[in-house]
Structure formats: C-alpha cells, structure tokens
Amino acid sequence: MHRLLTGPLTVESLTIPIANLPDSWQGMKLVQLSDFHYDGVRLSEWLLSEAIEAVNQVEPDLILLTGDFVTDVPTPVHQLVTRLKHLQSRLGIYAVLGNHDLYYRKSKDEVTKALTSIGVKVLWNEVVYPQGDEVALVGLADYWSKQFQPAPVFEAIDPQIPRIVMSHNPDSVEDLQQWRVDLQLSGHTHGGQIVIPGLGPILAYLSPLRHRVPKSARKRLPVLEDPCFRVVQNWQWAAGFYQAGQIQLYVNRGLGTYLPGRLFCNPEVTVMTLLRAGG
C-alpha cells in the first residue's frame, strides 16, 4: 500500500493503571502490533520495517501481537515471519489470531506454526505468566470462531491476580464483563480507516443511514455496500483507549490498510507502560 494511502506510522504512548500491580511489574513496558494483513498489497515493506524498528527502539519488556497476520491465503505468513523475527523483547513475544488467520481450514495451523518457528507463543484460549505468577496474560480464540470460550480460561486464574487479555475483536469486551480484566488489547477495526476529526470513524455515521436505504439502491452507492459495516457492532470502540464498562480497553489501529486507504487514521505501534493504580 502506497504511503499516500496509509499515512505515516504513528507511535502511540500511554500509561495504564492496574489495581494491585506487583512491584516486579511496575513500569513494565508493553508494545502492541496488530492487523498486518501481509499479502503483498495491504502492508508495504517500508511500513513493516519502520514498525519493527520503532518497537525495538523502545526496548519493550513484552511484545503483544493481536491478530490478522494474513488476509486470506495463509502462505504469506512464511515471508512475514522472516521480518518479525527481528523483533526484540525482554520477556518474549505473544500473539492471538484474528478472523483472517482462520480464513481457510488449514490457516490456523499454518499461521500458528510459522509464528512458533520464530519463538512467538500463540495463545488460543490460554493463560501464561510471562514473569513469575503475579500477572496473567490471557490470549483468547477469535470472537467470531466457534472456539471463543473464555470461561474455562478465567476460571483457572486466581481472582486476586491482575490479568491482561488479548482478544482480536473489541466486541468481545461485552462478553468479558463478568470476569476481572484489567486491560484488554484488541485490533480488528483498523480504526475505521477514514475518520472525521473530532467525531470518529465515518462508518459509525454511515451505518444507520445504510439501513434506511433499500438494498436495490445500495448497489448504486458502493460506499453503502462496504463490507466494513460488518466488522464490528461497536464502532464507538474503533481506536484508542476506552473505559468499556468495568474493563480498560485499548484498540490498536493496525498496520495493514484496505482501499480506499486511511484518512486521519495512521497505522500504529502502541507503547503501554504499566503502573499500580493509585500508586
């Protein structure tokens, strides 16, 4: 994707307060990347290189990848991992898969094996403890898959332990309200790609209009036929940080870009520093 259609890479930095965060996690630096869509079209080599360099410059403790490594066929992931193997972090790299990583019957296995080959731990309804057993990192199956089953995962975690949850689709935050989630990291939306400054993604405003237009007329208005309308139900959580009910939610704008491109919605690397709430 040409630079003019994506805009420059933006590094977003923020501090996240976590209740009862242990001393060993104070100041922990997490970096999130999402929605690569590495297929030879939607993510340029220059942008991917810039993102990897930006990540390594901040010397992260953890790197978290929140899905959609490919777009449809899984084979490009083998070339993608030759780039991602240059990512560096103190405590490792963890990933969850997105809906596009499940496009074909064998996509999940192929994407998982490729990432595993460079030392990325892919979580699928799993919990790990990157440093000791004081903070849990949860990786959930994609929300649209039949295997999205958070209950057994959360029931296996000590309720006193803070937890960070990786879930590709931000709509899942509604289902997770019944459990303790100190921070949810998602992607999937691409930030809406076209944003009205001060108002938000244009799709949030076109969606109500779309339902008022007869289907026969929508064919004459391609913007109202855009499949992006089906991406999420909650466009109010399109990009950035939100207090979504009881959960702190961050939605990354991603790196990959679909046509017609991005406007006021730059591709993103997110750097999050954890601090004890009230400390």
Side-chain angles (χ1 to χ4, degrees), residues 18-66:
I18 303 290
N20 307 121
L21 188 72
D23 290 342
S24 62
W25 280 72
Q26 279 277 76
M28 188 77 78
K29 193 177 296 181
L30 315 182
V31 169
Q32 181 190 8
L33 294 172
S34 196
D35 295 84
F36 298 85
H37 289 281
Y38 191 84
D39 58 5
V41 177
R42 294 172 178 85
L43 176 59
S44 63
E45 293 295 339
W46 66 263
L47 179 56
L48 180 57
S49 295
E50 284 189 8
I52 292 170
E53 182 179 358
V55 170
N56 290 339
Q57 282 181 349
V58 303
E59 299 181 343
D61 296 297
L62 277 173
I63 296 175
L64 306 175
L65 312 177
T66 46

Side-chain angles (χ1 to χ4, degrees), residues 233-250:
Q233 297 296 313
N234 296 284
W235 278 109
Q236 72 271 23
W237 299 327
F241 179 82
Y242 304 93
Q243 186 66 46
Q246 302 298 313
I247 297 174
Q248 296 183 107
L249 169 68
Y250 192 87

Side-chain angles (χ1 to χ4, degrees), residues 60-92:
D61 296 297
L62 277 173
I63 296 175
L64 306 175
L65 312 177
T66 46
D68 277 1
F69 295 93
V70 295
T71 301
D72 39 51
V73 295
T75 50
V77 74
H78 300 290
Q79 186 173 355
L80 174 61
V81 297
T82 67
R83 312 311 195 256
L84 297 183
K85 71 179 182 180
H86 298 293
L87 290 169
Q88 301 171 12
S89 68
R90 185 173 67 88
L91 296 174

Side-chain angles (χ1 to χ4, degrees), residues 89-208:
S89 68
R90 185 173 67 88
L91 296 174
I93 305 174
Y94 296 86
V96 291
L97 303 184
N99 54 297
H100 283 271
D101 302 318
L102 312 175
Y103 199 86
Y104 292 110
R105 184 170 61 88
K106 295 184 179 180
S107 292
K108 175 178 178 285
D109 288 343
E110 189 164 353
V111 173
T112 299
K113 287 179 181 178
L115 291 168
T116 302
S117 73
I118 61 166
V120 176
K121 173 64 175 175
V122 179
L123 304 178
W124 184 263
N125 291 330
E126 294 178 68
V127 56
V128 294
Y129 299 87
Q131 178 169 266
D133 58 0
E134 298 176 310
V135 175
L137 176 64
V138 175
L140 297 177
D142 182 63
Y143 188 55
W144 286 352
S145 76
K146 295 180 180 179
Q147 296 179 38
F148 178 79
Q149 297 173 354
V153 184
F154 285 107
E155 289 167 2
I157 305 172
D158 184 329
Q160 302 302 314
I161 292 179
R163 67 286 310 266
I164 299 163
V165 176
M166 303 165 65
S167 182
H168 176 69
N169 190 327
D171 278 344
S172 62
V173 76
E174 294 186 310
D175 294 59
L176 302 182
Q177 294 294 324
Q178 58 189 296
W179 295 287
R180 175 178 179 175
V181 176
D182 295 272
L183 173 64
Q184 176 175 329
L185 302 180
S186 298
H188 186 61
T189 65
H190 299 197
Q193 289 203 171
I194 298 176
V195 172
I196 305 169
L199 294 178
I202 192 171
L203 289 171
Y205 298 91
L206 290 177
S207 186

Side-chain angles (χ1 to χ4, degrees), residues 8-24:
L9 178 71
T10 299
V11 177
E12 303 287 357
S13 299
L14 67 158
T15 300
I16 304 290
I18 303 290
N20 307 121
L21 188 72
D23 290 342
S24 62

